[in-house]
Amino acid sequence: MSAALIWVVSPNSELCNGLGFLETKEKRGFNRLNNIVSRKRDVVRRVVANPSGNLAISSEQLVYDVVLKQAALVKEQMRSRAEEVEDVEVKPDVVLPGTLGLLNEAYDRCGEVCAEYAKTFYLGTLLMTPERRKAIWAIYVWCRRTDELVDGPNASHITPKALDRWESRLEDLYNGRPFDMLDAALSDTVSKFPVDIQPFKDMIDGMRMDLRKSRYENFDELYLYCYYVAGTVGLMSVPIMGIAPESNAPTESVYNAALALGIANQLTNILRDVGEDARRGRVYLPQDELAQAGLSDEDIFAMKVTDKWRFFMKKQIKRARTFFDQAEEGVTQLSSASRWPVWASLLLYRQILDEIEANDYNNFTKRAYVSKPKKIVALPIAYAKSLVPPSSRNLVSN
Ligand SMILES: CC(C)=CCC/C(C)=C/CC/C(C)=C/CC/C(C)=C/[C@@H]1[C@@H](COP(=O)(O)OP(=O)(O)O)[C@]1(C)CC/C=C(\C)CC/C=C(\C)CCC=C(C)C
Ligand SMILES: [Mn+2]
């Protein structure tokens, strides 16, 4: 049964509140469900954060295990669905009179939020099939709301408990019991597409990390954070976007590329926002690499562009570009209608790095952004790239 069938609109629903779910979240008491997977990850995280400095498992290995699991899950689910129905693309709706209208309204609202926060990306989604487009909007909105918890206007009131409740809400919507209209859209999406709950839970873990941590000792720690808050988006998106039927690439290699795009975007986001983050007392840069470049937090708070800073930034930008390069091959493997928005977002986000360079690495007081004319130029380039079909050459898994 479609999740929306058991969803009731309340006058205080998110639709009324926009993204401010904070007023409504208190109204429901949720028990935290600690499942085996998250307990296991807690253990592993302790190993990774071992103060002795001897990392038993690197973040990259840890995250790659998730990639393999996601790829295996989607293959498994696609196989069993293929046995169930001929057209495996989307499960048909089981609808009671009236509920489809509400569900459509919920998806429309997700589309509006998406258009408001990420216009270019929203335009790109219009090229996707209607089912996929709506699903991406629903995921976008959930991610945006999750990010708003720690980054939005009410961030100072957010406690680990509030994140626990947000996670319980996630579990409820996965079980067909959405809390509000926007959750109902995602609940419907996850009932139709093989999207696993793990990346969603991991994103919430990223927000937990953000609450308790404002420094990253080395790139390994930063990588894990980037996976949590952005690599997860890549993993959530692939089952919706779909892999081209003519692609020969191993499923896990496509997931790996999606992960790389998330990491690349987040690293770029971090490099763009160094000044803004420093003003909030946060430094999302590897402390050991800062020290190697002869820099410290004090230099960042001083917000002066020096040769040491330029040297440090060059290395960080180079690393972010490596992740973009890794992502590129994967985009080509996606289903044809999904390639354009992904290419567009890749090209546009990557250009932020060029803009940081053009600002002579002043990411303290100047915000690097891609101008409208440059965006307009990028869109047809993205479109041309999206026409390239998957190559017969196999992608490397890791
Ligand atoms: C086509 C496309 C890009 C689809 C993804 C749509 C989607 C569900 C996006 C959710 C993004 C979101 C709101 C994440 C919450 C955490 C967060 C804010 C992450 C940062 C995004 C940039 O946001 P912004 O510039 O607004 O940042 P501020 O909050 O203002 O600081 C991130 C930098 C990360 C976003 C990560 C992605 C979009 C992942 C992209 C990867 C894919 C779509 C997989 C593509 C598949 C292959 C095979 C390459
Ligand atoms: Mn943010």
Side-chain angles (χ1 to χ4, degrees):
M1 190 202 294
S2 167
L5 298 184
I6 49 169
W7 161 65
V8 186
V9 194
S10 88
N12 291 325
S13 74
E14 296 306 289
L15 187 70
C16 310
N17 295 344
L19 292 170
F21 80 98
L22 288 172
E23 287 106 345
T24 53
K25 71 176 172 48
E26 299 296 345
K27 293 183 186 140
R28 286 186 70 173
F30 295 104
N31 292 323
R32 178 135 198 253
L33 297 176
N34 269 329
N35 64 24
I36 298 163
V37 175
S38 73
R39 274 204 301 273
K40 195 176 133 208
R41 273 181 298 136
D42 283 344
V43 172
V44 177
R45 252 200 318 275
R46 278 199 296 279
V47 176
V48 169
N50 186 339
S52 73
N54 299 322
L55 303 185
I57 305 171
S58 75
S59 297
E60 223 164 316
Q61 279 173 291
L62 207 163
V63 172
Y64 192 61
D65 285 347
V66 183
V67 168
L68 290 178
K69 189 182 145 205
Q70 295 306 304
L73 269 173
V74 81
K75 272 193 273 192
E76 174 61 34
Q77 291 187 32
M78 294 309 269
R79 223 189 342 263
S80 59
R81 279 182 189 191
E83 283 160 15
E84 274 171 34
V85 274
E86 285 254 322
D87 179 7
V88 293
E89 189 92 305
V90 173
K91 256 207 304 203
D93 274 317
V94 180
V95 191
L96 288 181
T99 52
L100 186 60
L102 289 174
L103 195 54
N104 282 338
E105 217 180 293
Y107 276 119
D108 286 350
R109 180 69 192 120
C110 290
E112 281 165 23
V113 173
C114 188
E116 198 181 315
Y117 281 80
K119 185 150 228 131
T120 317
F121 159 66
Y122 170 79
L123 293 176
T125 61
L126 297 181
L127 282 191
M128 296 172 141
T129 62
E131 286 299 330
R132 283 183 178 154
R133 169 195 317 154
K134 290 191 306 184
I136 285 287
W137 291 345
I139 294 180
Y140 179 88
V141 166
W142 186 88
C143 292
R144 181 47 71 196
R145 290 168 108 188
T146 307
D147 185 58
E148 288 283 308
L149 294 178
V150 293
D151 250 7
N154 293 311
S156 57
H157 306 297
I158 291 299
T159 59
K161 249 197 156 135
L163 290 175
D164 291 349
R165 279 197 295 272
W166 187 242
E167 186 165 355
S168 296
R169 239 173 101 154
L170 170 73
E171 281 159 355
D172 281 352
L173 77 85
Y174 255 86
N175 291 324
R177 293 192 305 274
F179 179 67
D180 66 17
M181 196 165 195
L182 301 176
D183 278 357
L186 184 59
S187 187
D188 181 65
T189 288
V190 302
S191 76
K192 289 176 172 167
F193 290 90
V195 190
D196 188 35
I197 195 169
Q198 174 95 48
F200 292 87
K201 284 176 162 254
D202 286 346
M203 184 180 276
I204 298 174
D205 263 350
M207 304 305 153
R208 288 191 179 104
M209 200 180 222
D210 229 358
L211 284 190
R212 66 165 193 267
K213 201 169 155 76
S214 62
R215 296 294 183 280
Y216 294 81
E217 264 323 298
N218 48 39
F219 183 67
D220 191 75
E221 283 190 19
L222 187 63
Y223 180 91
L224 191 59
Y225 174 71
C226 291
Y227 159 67
Y228 280 148
V229 300
T232 48
V233 181
L235 303 188
M236 295 168 193
S237 306
V238 174
I240 310 292
M241 299 192 168
I243 299 175
E246 67 272 29
S247 167
N248 292 322
T251 310
E252 59 272 22
S253 68
V254 182
Y255 273 84
N256 215 32
L259 164 71
L261 185 52
I263 303 277
N265 284 347
Q266 189 59 31
L267 289 175
T268 303
N269 188 284
I270 285 171
L271 297 178
R272 183 192 66 188
D273 296 344
V274 170
E276 196 183 309
D277 290 333
R279 279 184 280 279
R280 298 188 301 140
R282 316 193 73 88
V283 181
Y284 295 97
L285 297 166
Q287 292 287 325
D288 60 346
E289 294 176 25
L290 279 170
Q292 276 159 26
L295 294 161
S296 67
D297 283 357
E298 280 64 48
D299 294 294
I300 291 172
F301 295 130
M303 303 212 175
K304 268 188 127 168
V305 181
T306 59
D307 280 346
K308 280 181 186 170
W309 179 249
R310 288 188 189 92
F311 177 80
F312 172 80
M313 277 301 299
K314 279 179 194 170
K315 185 177 162 195
Q316 304 301 315
I317 289 177
K318 192 170 170 198
R319 176 188 279 141
R321 286 192 174 125
T322 312
F323 282 100
F324 278 117
D325 293 347
Q326 225 176 299
E328 284 208 3
E329 278 267 340
V331 190
T332 308
Q333 312 301 322
L334 294 173
S335 67
S336 58
S338 302
R339 294 200 283 265
W340 189 73
V342 178
W343 270 121
S345 85
L346 187 154
L347 296 180
L348 290 174
Y349 231 82
R350 185 164 57 191
Q351 277 191 64
I352 295 175
L353 297 174
D354 306 344
E355 297 301 329
I356 297 173
E357 288 172 339
N359 287 344
D360 190 28
Y361 306 99
N362 181 1
N363 43 5
F364 297 122
T365 55
K366 265 191 180 171
R367 186 178 165 100
Y369 74 98
V370 181
S371 67
K372 228 180 192 154
K374 283 186 183 165
K375 276 188 182 169
I376 291 169
V377 170
L379 297 181
I381 298 176
Y383 185 71
K385 282 180 176 284
S386 74
L387 298 179
V388 177
S391 63
S392 49
R393 192 161 63 87
N394 272 358
L395 268 175
V396 186
S397 288
N398 195 9

